[in-house]
Amino acid sequence: AFRPDSLLLMPRPYPGFQPTYFTSGKKGGPDLKRIEKLQLIYPVKADSAFSVTFDSVCLKQSDH
């Protein structure tokens, strides 16, 4: 269930009156034909070892 969200801009925009977050004005889900990058974020504790390997990723549009 992909939904529009906001992203923190790094480094922080200068001058300070500019927005700190980017918010997409697009409504609805993504156009799967135009996706260039898929980012997966996992919360990890600083003192633990963590490794992930992906062989492939497949995105399919559902019919509902």
Side-chain angles (χ1 to χ4, degrees), residues 7-50:
L7 297 171
L8 178 64
L9 298 174
M10 296 298 286
R12 184 178 176 90
Y14 179 83
F17 64 83
Q18 294 181 344
T20 306
Y21 286 85
F22 168 78
T23 304
S24 174
K26 186 176 180 181
K27 304 292 182 204
D31 179 4
L32 297 181
K33 294 176 184 173
R34 297 189 60 198
I35 291 178
E36 296 178 10
K37 179 179 174 181
L38 176 66
Q39 182 176 358
L40 304 174
I41 301 172
Y42 291 89
V44 179
K45 294 181 181 176
D47 59 345
S48 65
F50 186 76

